[in-house]
């Protein structure tokens, strides 16, 4: 008789290193609740999950995303963008049709970031599905922020405990100014929330570094000079190669990542080639502060 305790509906294969797993779960449009629960668990356990070989229409992707939680509307790609049929869909693409970009993020490098950290309530999961990929470049890297916190030198941990980062709403992660901003605004008063540097994950209960993005960030409780020095030290540590995994895309891939404990970045690629991805994001919860000491340690962080 099969051992019921060992019976699973998915195959979860963790990647070497400290982040990510590939999950075989069959066709994502057809997951029953028990299979979905295993996939959701894998996302919390491994921070980033890869599912290969999928083909989702826009409604399919949004329906899949809703199983992880309520979806959040995507930011407009350009000023005056017409009301969209699917407000919760973001097209991530460099393709230009009739002089108009069909999506955001272009073909340049997207620096390390956690999605929409500049919102009061940043998203929990992001789900990205690849439709067209360039022959080379455009890889996406992911970095484990539980591990970044756990390996933080003690003096740096003491220096950031109880501190918050002001996140800047003006720029996209591809470095483009959003509609309505000039770039001349004073950094200390730019629109954007403050979030704790040490964040307690509401589902795992574990603490992670929550840095958002390096450009224009400020630690508001200290002087501008101290803030720069602290952020430089934090980023030198958190963007280090030992904490990350890089994905080379195939058409049909889905990547699901948890913005509460993961940062990601994207390599540039040849502007002459096409890359088209569809993304949706789940509404998160207000970031809550951790102390980097009393929380449980995440199993993938050491
Ligand atoms: C995103 C993002 C990276 C990529 O969609 O939030 O950062 O590889 N995408 O397209
Ligand atoms: Mn992103």
């Amino acid at each position: 008789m099969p051992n019921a305790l060992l019976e699973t509906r998915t195959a979860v294969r963790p990647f070497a290193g400290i982040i990510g797993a590939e999950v075989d779960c069959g066709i994502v449009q057809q997951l029953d609740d028990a299979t979905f629960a295993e996939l959701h668990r894998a996302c919390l356990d491994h921070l980033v999950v890869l599912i290969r070989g999928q083909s989702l229409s826009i409604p399919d992707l949004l329906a899949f995303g809703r199983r992880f939680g309520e979806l959040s509307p995507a930011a407009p790609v350009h000023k005056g963008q017409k009301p969209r049929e699917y407000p919760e869909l973001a097209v991530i693409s460099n393709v230009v049709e009739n002089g108009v970009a069909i999506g955001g993020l272009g073909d340049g490098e997207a620096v390390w970031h956690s999605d929409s950290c500049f919102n009061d309530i940043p998203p929990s999961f992001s789900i990205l599905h690849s439709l067209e990929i360039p022959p080379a470049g455009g890889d996406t890297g992911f970095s484990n922020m539980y591990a970044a916190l756990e390996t933080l030198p003690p003096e740096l941990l003491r220096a950031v405990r109880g501190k918050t980062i002001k996140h800047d709403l003006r720029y996209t992660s591809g470095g483009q100014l959003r509609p309505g901003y000039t770039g001349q605004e004073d950094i200390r008063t730019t629109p954007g929330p403050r979030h704790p540097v040490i964040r307690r994950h509401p589902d795992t209960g574990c603490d992670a570094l929550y840095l958002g993005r390096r450009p224009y960030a400020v630690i508001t409780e200290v002087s501008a000079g101290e803030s720069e020095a602290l952020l430089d030290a934090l980023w030198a540590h958190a963007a280090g190669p030992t904490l990350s995994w890089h994905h080379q895309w195939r058409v049909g891939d889905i990547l699901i990542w948890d913005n509460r404990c993961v940062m990601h970045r994207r390599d540039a690629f040849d502007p002459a080639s096409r890359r088209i991805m569809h993304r949706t994001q789940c509404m998160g919860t207000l970031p809550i502060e951790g102390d980097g000491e009393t929380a449980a340690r995440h199993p993938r962080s050491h």
Side-chain angles (χ1 to χ4, degrees):
M1 216 175 93
N3 181 341
L5 285 175
L6 294 179
E7 231 177 280
T8 56
R9 292 155 187 266
T10 58
V12 178
R13 290 191 295 277
F15 300 131
I18 60 169
I19 183 168
E22 181 171 347
V23 173
D24 291 338
C25 58
I27 297 168
V28 302
Q29 290 95 322
Q30 295 173 6
L31 303 183
D32 61 26
D33 287 346
T35 311
F36 177 76
E38 285 182 20
L39 173 64
H40 185 248
R41 185 72 244 164
C43 293
L44 295 175
D45 288 349
H46 301 289
L47 291 60
V48 186
V49 157
L50 167 65
I51 311 170
R52 298 269 198 198
Q54 305 290 321
S55 175
L56 277 68
S57 66
I58 295 170
D60 286 344
L61 178 65
L62 300 183
F64 178 56
R66 273 190 199 101
R67 299 188 74 173
F68 288 86
E70 188 186 344
L71 300 182
S72 49
V77 173
H78 30 72
K79 205 172 180 164
Q81 190 179 18
K82 289 200 290 287
R84 291 158 296 165
E85 188 177 358
Y86 300 106
E88 294 143 335
L89 175 80
V91 178
I92 306 296
S93 183
N94 65 321
V95 172
V96 176
E97 275 170 8
N98 304 320
V100 180
I102 67 164
L105 233 53
D107 50 43
E109 178 188 346
V111 296
W112 283 112
H113 64 281
S114 177
D115 282 337
S116 303
C117 56
F118 42 77
N119 287 346
D120 290 336
I121 303 203
S124 49
F125 293 106
S126 293
I127 304 173
L128 191 60
H129 181 35
S130 66
L131 307 183
E132 276 190 61
I133 55 166
D139 296 358
T140 310
F142 295 88
S143 192
N144 180 337
M145 292 297 104
Y146 294 124
L149 178 65
E150 188 152 326
T151 55
L152 204 62
E155 64 283 3
L156 200 46
L157 176 64
R158 275 194 299 277
V160 298
R161 188 176 284 143
K163 302 282 196 302
T164 59
I165 294 178
K166 169 77 184 289
H167 299 268
D168 192 326
L169 175 60
R170 294 173 300 161
Y171 291 88
T172 71
S173 300
Q176 294 122 2
L177 262 182
R178 286 177 202 287
Y181 299 103
T182 64
Q184 301 306 309
E185 297 86 356
D186 172 0
I187 288 184
R188 294 236 157 202
T189 57
T190 51
R194 293 188 308 144
H195 294 309
V197 180
I198 302 173
R199 181 173 180 183
R200 188 152 298 173
H201 194 295
D203 299 332
T204 65
C206 304
D207 286 348
L209 269 187
Y210 189 64
L211 302 183
R213 302 182 296 192
R214 179 65 186 91
Y216 312 109
V218 193
I219 296 182
T220 47
E221 293 85 359
V222 296
S223 70
E226 271 176 89
S227 165
E228 285 297 291
L230 271 179
L231 287 172
D232 283 347
L234 283 170
W235 279 92
H237 176 76
T242 56
L243 301 174
S244 61
W245 162 75
H246 291 261
H247 180 56
Q248 265 182 351
W249 290 90
R250 294 183 200 159
V251 169
D253 287 349
I254 292 177
L255 278 183
I256 306 162
W257 65 87
D258 186 338
N259 289 293
R260 300 165 291 188
C261 53
V262 170
M263 291 203 301
H264 58 286
R265 65 175 297 281
R266 186 195 69 192
D267 293 336
F269 56 96
D270 179 357
S273 53
R274 290 162 60 94
R275 188 178 190 268
I276 304 180
M277 311 265 180
H278 282 171
R279 189 192 71 190
T280 194
Q281 293 175 317
C282 299
M283 200 89 81
T285 46
L286 190 70
I288 49 172
E289 184 157 358
D291 57 17
E293 192 178 319
T294 55
R297 299 163 78 203
H298 190 279
R300 284 298 303 262
S301 71
H302 49 273

